[in-house]
Amino acid sequence: MTKAKRQMKEDIKLIDIVIELVDARIPFSSRNPDIDELGKNKYRMILMNKADLADKEATDEWASYFKKQGYYVVSLDARKRNGMKSITDMIMEACREKIERDKKRGIKNRPVRAMVVGIPNVGKSTFINSYAGKACAKTGNRPGVTKGKQWIRLHKDVELLDTPGILWPKFEDQMGGQRLAFIGSMNDEILNTDELAVQLIRFLKEQYPFSLTERYQVSTDGTEADVLLEIARVRNCMSKGNELDYSKAAALLIDDFRSGRLGRITLERP
Ligand code: G4P
C-alpha cells in the first residue's frame, strides 16, 4: 500500500463522511474505486466539481446515476462561494442517522466530521478554501504540508479535515486515460498532443460538432486531420518555414477545450 493510501486509511477512521470530488466532465474516469473500499463504513457524498465546464444535461444524468447508487450528490463550481450552504445541509442530511443516534445516547455538540478526497486537480483545495470561507487550506498538492491533524470548523455541527486525501487516477483502460489527458490530468510532457487533438476532434465531431464550427468556423465534414489543418489555417498557426503548423493548432484546440472556450462539454455518459 502506498504511503498516501495508508495515510488516508488512518484519516478515514477519524471521520463520518467522505466528500469525494470528481470532475463533472468525466465523473467516471476521474474516480478511483479504491475509495469505495477505504470508505466502506462511512457516509458518502459526491461533489461533481467544475460543473461550469460540463454539459448541464449530462451532469443531471450523472447526478441521478450516483443518487441511485446511494450517494448524496451536488454539482458545483468550487471557485464560487455561493452554493456552499447547501453542502452543509446535505452533509447534515447524509449523516442524519448518526446525529439522531448521538442524540438518543445523550451525546450533544459532537460535530459531524468530514474529509475531502479526490484525484489531483479536481479542485480539492479550491473547494476547501471556498467552503471554509477563508484561505485556511493551502492550495496546490503538497502532501505533508500539515503534519498534525487540523480541523476546520465550518459550522457549529460540521468539521472538515484541512488536508484532502489524494487518490490516484486509474489508467486501467485506454479511454479513461485519454479522457484524463483531455482535461489535463496527466503530465502534458509525456503526451502526444497532436494525437490527443485528433482524438478530441473525433469525439467533438460526433458529440458536439457545433463546438468546432462555432469557435473556429471550420467544416467538420473532412477527416480529423483535415479539421486540424483547417483550425491551423483559420487561426494562422504557422511554423518558422511559413507552413501550417499542426502542433500549434493541436495545442490551441486542447487549451480552448480545457478552459471551456469550446462550450460546456462532458466526455462520458453514465
Ligand atoms: P486539487 O487540490 O484537487 O489538486 O485542485 P485545485 O484546487 O488546485 O484546482 C485545480 C485547478 O482547477 C485550479 O486551476 C482551480 O482554479 C481549478 N478549479 C477548481 N474548481 C473549479 C471549478 O469548479 N471550475 C473551474 N472552471 N475550475 C476550477 P489552476 O489553473 O490550476 O490554478 P489557478 O489558475 O486557478 O490558480
Side-chain angles (χ1 to χ4, degrees):
M1 206 187 285
T2 62
K3 188 163 175 262
K5 199 166 163 186
R6 234 178 3 249
Q7 179 65 51
M8 200 178 319
K9 210 171 166 190
E10 288 307 306
D11 288 346
I12 283 181
K13 287 184 190 155
L14 309 171
I15 57 147
D16 305 296
I17 180 166
V18 176
I19 302 178
E20 180 186 356
L21 261 72
V22 302
D23 190 302
R25 293 166 296 174
I26 47 168
F28 178 76
S29 300
S30 58
R31 296 193 71 199
N32 181 323
D34 283 358
I35 193 63
D36 286 332
E37 178 59 27
L38 286 164
K40 65 173 182 268
N41 299 315
K42 304 292 166 178
Y43 299 109
R44 298 290 301 278
M45 194 162 149
I46 290 184
L47 295 193
M48 285 196 280
N49 194 36
K50 308 200 186 184
D52 54 301
L53 299 172
D55 182 332
K56 170 109 185 36
E57 199 183 281
T59 301
D60 291 343
E61 281 175 27
W62 278 108
S64 349
Y65 170 83
F66 287 132
K67 276 179 199 160
K68 272 194 205 121
Q69 297 188 351
Y71 296 98
Y72 283 80
V73 187
V74 184
S75 64
L76 85 159
D77 174 347
R79 296 166 310 168
K80 304 227 164 80
R81 295 250 163 107
N82 50 354
M84 295 296 158
K85 158 93 175 66
S86 64
I87 297 194
T88 302
D89 293 346
M90 194 165 279
I91 293 176
M92 301 296 283
E93 166 72 16
C95 299
R96 201 180 49 210
E97 193 189 66
K98 172 206 141 57
I99 295 167
E100 278 168 11
R101 202 176 340 119
D102 279 357
K103 234 190 236 161
K104 276 196 198 122
R105 289 181 184 160
I107 303 170
K108 279 191 204 136
N109 306 326
R110 184 158 82 186
V112 165
R113 288 190 148 180
M115 172 184 183
V116 170
V117 305
I119 65 168
N121 215 35
V122 281
K124 297 179 294 300
S125 305
T126 308
F127 169 72
I128 293 174
N129 283 338
S130 290
Y131 193 29
K134 48 185 173 329
C136 47
K138 304 233 159 59
T139 317
N141 267 310
R142 291 181 298 274
V145 162
T146 321
K147 287 288 186 312
K149 292 283 153 271
Q150 292 197 26
W151 296 91
I152 307 169
R153 178 155 280 213
L154 299 161
H155 175 262
K156 69 181 180 24
D157 302 313
V158 181
E159 281 183 0
L160 185 69
L161 195 60
D162 78 339
T163 29
I166 300 164
L167 297 165
W168 294 113
K170 49 172 172 43
F171 301 110
E172 277 149 23
D173 66 299
Q174 203 193 343
M175 285 311 279
Q178 193 176 80
R179 289 169 187 154
L180 285 159
F182 286 155
I183 67 160
S185 270
M186 281 163 87
N187 187 347
D188 278 346
E189 279 148 32
I190 59 163
L191 294 171
N192 178 340
T193 320
D194 293 4
E195 178 58 21
L196 197 64
V198 164
Q199 299 298 341
L200 183 59
I201 292 172
R202 181 165 302 154
F203 171 82
L204 295 174
K205 260 164 64 100
E206 269 174 33
Q207 303 292 327
Y208 295 92
F210 289 121
S211 66
L212 292 168
T213 51
E214 280 175 15
R215 173 93 189 146
Y216 306 113
Q217 270 84 49
V218 293
S219 151
T220 53
D221 295 339
T223 64
E224 288 78 21
D226 291 339
V227 176
L228 194 56
L229 196 61
E230 270 289 278
I231 295 174
R233 200 180 49 75
V234 171
R235 287 307 166 101
N236 211 17
C237 300
M238 308 300 272
S239 65
K240 285 212 183 91
N242 224 14
E243 281 177 28
L244 287 174
D245 189 332
Y246 273 101
S247 299
K248 272 192 193 154
L252 176 106
L253 173 78
I254 290 168
D255 191 51
D256 280 349
F257 167 74
R258 288 180 184 166
S259 49
R261 288 188 289 269
L262 297 183
R264 298 175 58 160
I265 292 167
T266 299
L267 296 167
E268 58 193 14
R269 302 276 176 148

